[in-house]
Amino acid sequence: MALAPLTAGEMEASLHVWLDTEFTYYKVDQLALELDRLARDEQDFILGWIRRIASTHITLAWQFGRRAPALLPHMELRLLEAWALHTCDVFDRTGLQNALRVMEQVDSFDVVQHKNDAAGALFEEISPVLGNFVCGLSGRRLRIEEGEAAWTDGERIVLPPLIAALPDQDDNFQLAKVMVALLWAQTRFGTLRIDLVAVAAGYPDPERALDHLYALEILRLSAQIKRELPGLHRAMQGLRSRLDAPLSPAWQAFETRLAASGATVDDSLALLDSAYAETACPQFLDQGCLRPDAIAAARAARLDKEKARLRIKLAELLAEQQATQPETRPASEPPPEFEVAPRDENGRLDFEITLDDAPIAPPDGVRQLLTSIYLDFGEIPPDYLTPAGEGEYDASRVFDQPEDPDAVWQGTYHEKGAELYPEWDHGRQHYRKNWCVMREKTVAPVYDNFHRETLVKYAGVVKHLRKKFEALRDENRLDKRQTQGDEIDLDALIEALADARDGSEMSDRLFQRMHRAERNIAVVFLVDMSGSTQGWINEAEREALILLCEALELLGDRYAIYGFSGTTRKRCELFRIKTFDDRYDDEVKARISGIRPQEYTRMGFALRHMSKLLNQVEAKTRVLITLSDGRPDDYFDVYRGVYGVEDTRMALLEAARTGIHPFCITLDRDARDYLPHMYGAARYVILDDVRQLPVKVTDIYRRITT
């Protein structure tokens, strides 16, 4: 049953509160009379958005309320929402005056240029899903960004704010997904490997040459997608049959040539002369566009850095191998050589590394570097496989050194050299884009006796946890319903005999076997370094981390440790204590000793950054454990109360959507008021006594990961 419309008086009472008319003096009685003529669902829509926008700025909310009733008959609701959100985003980036200009120029808002009845796919709605989709594809990690058109430079995929070529929302989403797949395929299958500008310069009309080369590549990449993603290819063909003109006979012949399984970008180049001579050039709605200058700039910035990084990683690998094989090589023998062979693992690009013909399992960081370099060259150049020498090693570090984090806090937005993260605005019910300005810092090591004293203090606990974790490492698992094994699986046999009696075919999976369980876990410990951890809490955190590291070194799980703190959204700091690639050596122990309380507890950006790092690690199970002493809040900022809790909750949901398992260990006795909402009922532990933390944390970790 439809609800009765609100009266002008009822709406006026709410508008007085939301628009703070005691100080703003807005004539909300007139607005209420305008809304009084609308249906209830239209009233609720406009009032809801006035309330949400008012949490960003009251003037914007007032301007929206004045204009929205006249726009309703002409503008589809989702597009009206997009206009409101775009206005708020402009306010976040450039301030009130520009946002008001967007409000005033609603008729020229880009989205309105699309057909109003198109159920478009909005970037805000589809980007999280497509981001996960790209994350699951083979090749270089690509981020999804919003821009004016669809294109890629090999490091990011850019999509327009709205894709509305079709009247059905699901079809528009499929079109966006196909666009993303084709842009990914450019990086994966060699389109971006060639010098596009130089190729086009060899023709009288370079722009025409690029258009025809791009069309050839779209045909080749479509065939690759058919092999890699057959289901998506069927959707692509269905959309093209509705949106695009049929290919001419000449282009059909090109398509056949480029559909061969071994076709490369060289085959497209070989056909370019013939294609250039064709008057017509197919244009596919899903193809996006080519940006040669952006591609060249991204590639140039990447090459030297990745060469230096790979040679450093190989030098570290070589040092590890030599440390485990102490016998020295005769001076007459040549130095050991690395060899790398790419291989296809069920459609995913992987690499086999050998050192003097002995295979080495490449760490995740090395595998990612090899992938990116291979995509740029189609091979790993031999000079990239020479480990960095002593002098080169130090000189090459410059590529990985950020600017001094403490020397760049000047200016208006302090964004130079920083990473920007969104933040969930609960009042607006939407993200603030590029809102948190984050930098990583390394905790200054303190070389004292803290590590040794902790092991002495907890000697009994250490002895106990070593036994537990060694048993966990050597734990056997019983696999049932196997085709062969050590013993008969009685349950499976009984079911098979029952099937045979019913005339069904008997299963051959009648055995069970024991084998050692292989752990494939990556975990990040995110440590609260806010000022409230001063004293006992800080000491307990450091002791707990030392005991954890001792246990994890026994267990063999990959782990990283970071701390976090913040002073408003412009100074969000993440502290490196141990990365996944760091060994648990004297420096890491000294960094743990050097953990000191900093500022406030802005948590969302840290969770998002840790999720990003975890998703770059190849692991079956990814766990994110937060050690905290209280609820998220920040200094003289909206980031406290509901806002901070809701942003943290949203960051945890984002992590969970990517397959990460978040968990919280807290010392806040009042945490039952907010942790169930943030983490869920079974994803946190509350310790009433800070002194329990070092004793309990290893046992909690064991339970979480088993």
Side-chain angles (χ1 to χ4, degrees), residues 25-299:
Y25 307 110
Y26 289 133
K27 304 295 184 183
V28 297
D29 53 337
Q30 298 174 9
L31 176 56
L33 287 173
E34 274 196 77
L35 299 178
D36 187 52
R37 297 192 293 267
L38 302 178
R40 177 61 184 268
D41 58 339
E42 294 174 326
Q43 291 176 339
D44 288 341
F45 176 84
I46 293 178
L47 290 170
W49 274 100
I50 290 174
R51 178 180 54 80
R52 288 165 66 175
I53 299 172
S55 71
T56 298
H57 201 284
I58 289 173
T59 301
L60 293 179
W62 166 248
Q63 294 296 336
F64 175 87
R66 287 179 56 207
R67 289 171 169 78
L71 293 171
L72 271 179
H74 314 293
M75 197 171 181
E76 201 256 343
L77 290 184
R78 293 178 70 253
L79 303 186
L80 191 56
E81 287 182 350
W83 168 61
L85 291 172
H86 178 61
T87 302
C88 291
D89 290 339
V90 170
F91 171 80
D92 288 344
R93 293 195 308 270
T94 60
L96 180 60
Q97 292 305 314
N98 287 332
L100 287 173
R101 195 169 296 117
V102 171
M103 278 282 179
E104 292 165 0
Q105 298 172 351
V106 61
D107 291 336
S108 62
F109 180 56
D110 286 347
V111 175
V112 182
Q113 305 306 316
H114 296 82
K115 293 163 59 177
N116 284 345
D117 61 347
L122 289 166
F123 178 86
E124 298 293 343
E125 297 174 358
I126 64 176
S127 57
V129 179
L130 295 180
N132 292 339
F133 169 64
V134 172
C135 196
L137 298 175
S138 176
R140 186 183 294 122
R141 307 274 182 179
L142 300 170
R143 60 187 186 274
I144 303 282
E145 294 183 0
E146 184 178 353
E148 295 179 0
W151 58 279
T152 183
D153 62 3
E155 296 196 356
R156 56 184 170 157
I157 289 175
V158 181
L159 293 175
L162 179 77
I163 295 173
L166 295 159
D168 182 79
Q169 186 176 352
D170 290 339
D171 286 343
N172 284 316
F173 172 75
Q174 285 298 325
L175 179 59
K177 192 173 182 180
V178 170
M179 281 183 178
V180 166
L182 282 168
L183 294 171
W184 158 77
Q186 290 181 37
T187 72
R188 175 66 177 85
F189 299 110
T191 303
L192 309 189
R193 198 174 294 154
I194 58 175
D195 188 338
L196 295 164
V197 175
V199 169
Y203 289 84
D205 184 346
E207 188 173 340
R208 174 187 171 89
L210 272 180
D211 287 343
H212 284 66
L213 175 59
Y214 194 38
L216 291 169
E217 278 295 274
I218 292 298
L219 295 176
R220 183 178 71 88
L221 298 178
S222 299
Q224 291 282 12
I225 289 175
K226 182 178 182 179
R227 287 185 282 272
E228 298 284 332
L229 305 165
L232 185 62
H233 182 264
R234 287 192 292 272
M236 174 194 292
Q237 293 300 96
L239 292 171
R240 285 183 179 176
S241 66
R242 297 160 59 186
L243 300 172
D244 301 319
L247 295 176
S248 68
W251 281 94
Q252 289 179 22
F254 298 150
E255 182 180 39
T256 301
R257 291 270 301 275
L258 295 171
S261 60
T264 69
V265 68
D266 291 333
D267 294 286
S268 294
L269 291 172
L271 292 172
L272 183 54
D273 285 346
S274 301
Y276 184 84
E278 291 293 319
T279 304
C281 178
Q283 291 285 327
F284 303 100
L285 197 64
D286 56 27
Q287 70 181 37
C289 57
L290 206 57
R291 297 281 178 90
D293 292 341
I295 293 165
R299 189 173 189 269

Side-chain angles (χ1 to χ4, degrees), residues 50 114 152 432 437 490 626:
I50 290 174
H114 296 82
T152 183
R432 292 177 177 261
V437 184
L490 291 178
T626 307

Side-chain angles (χ1 to χ4, degrees), residues 188 341-346 348-353 362 367:
R188 175 66 177 85
R343 64 186 182 193
D344 188 295
E345 291 285 340
N346 296 321
R348 297 189 65 83
L349 185 61
D350 201 358
F351 296 88
E352 185 177 272
I353 297 183
R367 184 182 288 109

